[in-house]
Amino acid sequence: MRHGQILTVSGRDVPIPIAHEGLLVVLGHLLRNASEHAAQHVGILATQTEAGTVLEIADDGRGVSAGNAAPIFEPFFTTRRDAGGTGMGLAIVRNILAAHRGVIEQVPTPSGARFRIMFGIGR
């Protein structure tokens, strides 16, 4: 996270079915992406449903354009190659989550970026 960026966390009591280290990698990539795309505020919401655990991560940065939404989880896809981006961050996130029976999706939103991580839902 960038200095001065605000992080709001809700649902701290919800158990997340992933190893602590894996969760740190996943959230680290998402928070770094938010910072690199000018987010001032990032919110993390954990909820438990009958179907499983859901994490929502939303920011107020530049967001994901419609043209970039489909390939963002593919290895080597990046909008920041000129700034040293490798395009591996979200691919790594997807693979770590898959190893823990989780999935991630980008949720279209009119501003900022929003990602939904689901554990145990539909599996």
Side-chain angles (χ1 to χ4, degrees), residues 72-77 87-97:
I72 62 171
F73 296 106
E74 296 302 317
F76 307 111
F77 176 81
M88 292 304 295
L90 289 177
I92 290 169
V93 165
R94 180 182 63 185
N95 288 334
I96 289 172
L97 291 170

Side-chain angles (χ1 to χ4, degrees), residues 33 37 64-81 85-91:
N33 282 354
H37 290 89
V64 179
S65 70
N68 289 339
I72 62 171
F73 296 106
E74 296 302 317
F76 307 111
F77 176 81
T78 181
T79 60
R80 297 182 36 83
R81 186 136 353 255
T86 63
M88 292 304 295
L90 289 177

Side-chain angles (χ1 to χ4, degrees), residues 95-111:
N95 288 334
I96 289 172
L97 291 170
H100 290 84
R101 298 190 57 223
V103 295
I104 185 170
E105 64 184 14
Q106 186 265 331
V107 179
T109 182
S111 64

Side-chain angles (χ1 to χ4, degrees), residues 16-26 96-97 99-100 119:
I16 309 297
I18 183 173
H20 176 78
E21 296 80 7
L23 184 60
L24 286 177
V25 171
V26 167
I96 289 172
L97 291 170
H100 290 84
F119 294 96

